[in-house]
Amino acid sequence: MPNSFLERVLPYRGRVAELALGIGVNKLIENLFSYVLYPWVIYKYGALKGGIVMMFLSLFASLLTLKFYDWSQRDWLGIEAIKSLKDYRGEQNAGRITGWFLRKSDPAAFLFLCFWYDPFITTAYLRKGKFNGMTSRDWWIFYGSVLVSNGYWILACFMGVTLVEWVWQGLKGFL
C-alpha cells in the first residue's frame, strides 16, 4: 500500500506525461491556427474568400487529427475525461457549467463544443465508442461542426480584424 502522495501518483506518470504532451501540442497548433493564421487569412482575403479557405483548412486539419487519434488508439487529449464532466457537480464553476451543457442533450453539447473547441474534439466527444472510425452519424456531426465552428470563428475574426483596422485608422489620425 503506497504511503505518500508521490508513491500513489508515480504509476500514473506515463499517462500524465502523455496527456501533457498531447494537450500541449494540440493547444500550440490550435493557438497558431486560430489566433495567427486564421485572422491573417481573413485580413488578407476577406471574410468570404478567407473564410472558405480557412474552413477547408480546418476540415483537413480536423480530419487528419481524427485519423491520427483513431490510428494511435490513445486518448492523448483526455476526451474521455471530458465525457466524465457530464457528471461533475463540484466546486469549479467552469466544470459545473460544462457539465450542465453536456448533460442537456447531444445538440446542446454539439453547440457548446463547436463554440469552445474544434471539429475534431466535437466529433470525438459525440461519436459513440472510441477509436472505431466514423459512422454516417459521426460524419454529419463532423461536417456540421466544421460549418458551425468555422462560421462562428470567421465572424469573430472578421470583427476582430475590423476593430483593429478601425483603431489603427483612428491612431494614424493622432500620429
Side-chain angles (χ1 to χ4, degrees):
M1 180 80 179
N3 294 333
S4 71
F5 172 76
L6 186 58
E7 289 173 335
R8 288 191 306 266
V9 170
L10 281 177
Y12 302 106
R13 72 178 180 257
R15 179 71 179 134
V16 170
E18 177 183 50
L19 284 172
L21 182 63
I23 291 169
V25 168
N26 189 63
K27 199 66 177 161
L28 176 67
I29 292 168
E30 180 184 323
N31 285 344
L32 288 172
F33 189 86
S34 296
Y35 299 112
V36 177
L37 182 62
Y38 220 112
W40 183 81
V41 171
I42 296 295
Y43 169 73
K44 195 79 172 155
Y45 299 105
L48 185 60
K49 287 181 187 173
I52 290 169
V53 166
M54 291 310 298
M55 192 174 295
F56 279 107
L57 284 176
S58 170
L59 183 143
F60 183 67
S62 294
L63 190 57
L64 281 178
T65 308
L66 267 168
K67 294 291 184 190
F68 178 74
Y69 185 73
D70 284 347
W71 173 82
S72 71
Q73 299 278 310
R74 304 289 297 179
D75 185 24
W76 41 266
L77 282 179
I79 290 173
E80 297 307 311
I82 293 171
K83 287 180 183 181
S84 72
L85 281 176
K86 278 184 180 182
D87 302 321
Y88 184 80
R89 306 239 195 282
E91 306 259 337
Q92 299 294 322
N93 286 337
R96 281 199 322 269
I97 292 168
T98 301
W100 181 82
F101 271 105
L102 297 178
R103 278 191 304 277
K104 284 297 172 196
S105 65
D106 280 353
F110 172 83
L111 288 175
F112 176 79
L113 292 168
C114 282
F115 290 127
W116 284 99
Y117 299 101
D118 63 4
F120 157 66
I121 290 177
T122 302
T123 305
Y125 176 84
L126 288 171
R127 71 182 178 176
K128 307 297 182 200
K130 57 181 180 178
F131 314 126
N132 57 344
M134 302 275 280
T135 65
S136 61
R137 174 188 177 272
D138 300 332
W139 283 110
W140 279 103
I141 290 169
F142 177 72
Y143 290 126
S145 64
V146 167
L147 289 173
V148 171
S149 62
N150 280 279
Y152 162 74
W153 201 243
I154 289 165
L155 182 61
C157 286
F158 180 71
M159 289 175 15
V161 165
T162 302
L163 178 65
V164 168
E165 287 177 328
W166 180 75
V167 168
W168 181 250
Q169 291 301 322
L171 288 175
K172 279 176 44 177
F174 288 113
L175 301 175

